[in-house]
């Protein structure tokens, strides 16, 4: 150790094993391979569903398209990749139905296929992209098709603020070559 070594900035240790990076280690700037493309993590969201149940969502960008990778569970990881859709294309009366009845319908149709309500979950979301410590309340309605390999998700942020997403359920092996940010 030299005289001026005490002034050198220590590099922060990564919070993951660099020899075994998994989807649970994803963070801003990470690169991953999915569907024969390289994707970069652009935004990070944390969800608290209560009872020590957390999930993470990553907005990923391949350069020509954007998608959302949702990762839940630790031992039994469940993942979906979705893209935002217009909620009125799902059902033109869906927002009005949920607002009026305070519950989601038991099924919806998307691109000619029937999806069944699997779960409606109240929780909190924290956007790590804006360095805020605030959590926003939400209700998520998850619908799966008969084979449970496709998902439609509707998120209610307040009385009349809704988002909808459609995509597919993916397996762990479909995400590969995860590289940390520089």
């Amino acid at each position: 150790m030299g005289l001026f070594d005490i002034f050198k900035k220590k590099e922060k240790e990564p919070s993951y094993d660099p020899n075994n990076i998994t989807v649970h280690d994803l963070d801003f700037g990470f690169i991953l391979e999915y569907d024969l493309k390289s994707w970069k993590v652009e935004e990070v969201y944390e969800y608290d569903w209560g009872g020590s149940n957390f999930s993470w969502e990553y907005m990923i960008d391949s350069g020509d398209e954007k998608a959302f990778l949702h990762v839940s569970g630790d031992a039994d990881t469940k993942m979906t990749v979705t893209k935002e859709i217009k909620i009125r294309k799902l059902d033109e009366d869906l927002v009005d139905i949920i607002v009026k009845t305070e519950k989601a319908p038991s099924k919806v149709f998307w691109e000619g296929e029937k999806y069944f309500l699997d779960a409606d979950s109240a929780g909190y979301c924290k956007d790590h992209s804006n360095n805020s410590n605030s959590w926003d309340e939400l209700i998520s309605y998850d619908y799966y098709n008969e084979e449970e390999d496709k998902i439609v998700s509707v998120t209610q942020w307040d009385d009349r603020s809704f988002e909808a997403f459609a995509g597919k359920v993916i397996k762990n092996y479909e995400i590969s070559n995860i590289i940390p940010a520089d």
Side-chain angles (χ1 to χ4, degrees):
M1 178 178 210
L3 178 61
F4 294 103
D5 287 344
I6 60 171
F7 297 110
K8 286 186 180 175
K9 202 180 215 182
K10 275 191 173 181
E11 287 191 30
K12 186 179 171 186
E13 290 289 321
S15 61
Y16 53 86
D17 177 359
N19 297 316
N20 187 27
I21 302 173
T22 71
V23 293
H24 296 288
D25 301 316
L26 289 174
D27 207 346
F28 294 104
F30 277 47
I31 306 291
L32 58 93
E33 298 290 323
Y34 167 70
D35 199 26
L36 302 174
K37 290 183 181 182
S38 293
W39 300 77
K40 183 177 181 180
V41 175
E42 298 286 342
E43 296 176 9
V44 178
Y45 304 93
E46 180 180 5
Y47 294 87
D48 180 350
W49 303 108
S52 297
N53 184 11
F54 292 87
S55 63
W56 294 84
E57 186 174 61
Y58 306 93
M59 196 278 283
I60 54 178
D61 187 336
S62 70
D64 63 345
E65 63 182 315
K66 294 178 192 276
F68 293 89
L69 171 64
H70 191 267
V71 180
S72 62
D74 287 325
D76 185 28
T77 302
K78 295 178 182 151
M79 295 189 297
T80 61
V81 173
T82 60
K83 293 181 182 173
E84 191 166 7
I85 61 173
K86 301 273 188 214
I87 195 163
R88 296 289 184 194
K89 287 189 174 186
L90 196 57
D91 182 334
E92 65 184 37
D93 298 321
L94 186 59
V95 170
D96 297 330
I97 291 168
I98 294 173
V99 169
K100 184 177 180 179
T101 65
E102 296 184 2
K103 65 180 197 172
S106 61
K107 62 184 172 270
V108 295
F109 292 88
W110 174 247
E111 295 186 333
E113 193 167 5
K114 190 185 312 183
Y115 289 77
F116 302 93
L117 182 63
D118 182 67
D120 57 347
S121 307
Y124 298 90
C125 176
K126 181 178 180 181
D127 182 352
H128 287 267
S129 308
N130 62 15
N131 293 324
S132 170
N133 284 326
S134 67
W135 292 81
D136 296 318
E137 287 184 69
L138 70 122
I139 301 173
S140 178
Y141 306 99
D142 292 334
Y143 295 85
Y144 290 90
N145 66 344
E146 187 81 35
E147 293 79 23
E148 296 187 357
D149 60 350
K150 294 180 187 173
I151 185 171
V152 169
S153 183
V154 176
T155 305
Q156 180 179 4
W157 294 101
D158 59 36
D159 288 343
R160 296 203 61 87
S161 180
F162 289 80
E163 295 176 314
F165 301 87
K168 65 181 192 170
V169 177
I170 64 170
K171 306 281 188 220
N172 284 346
Y173 66 82
E174 295 182 68
I175 302 289
S176 63
N177 299 328
I178 301 173
I179 301 169
D182 294 336

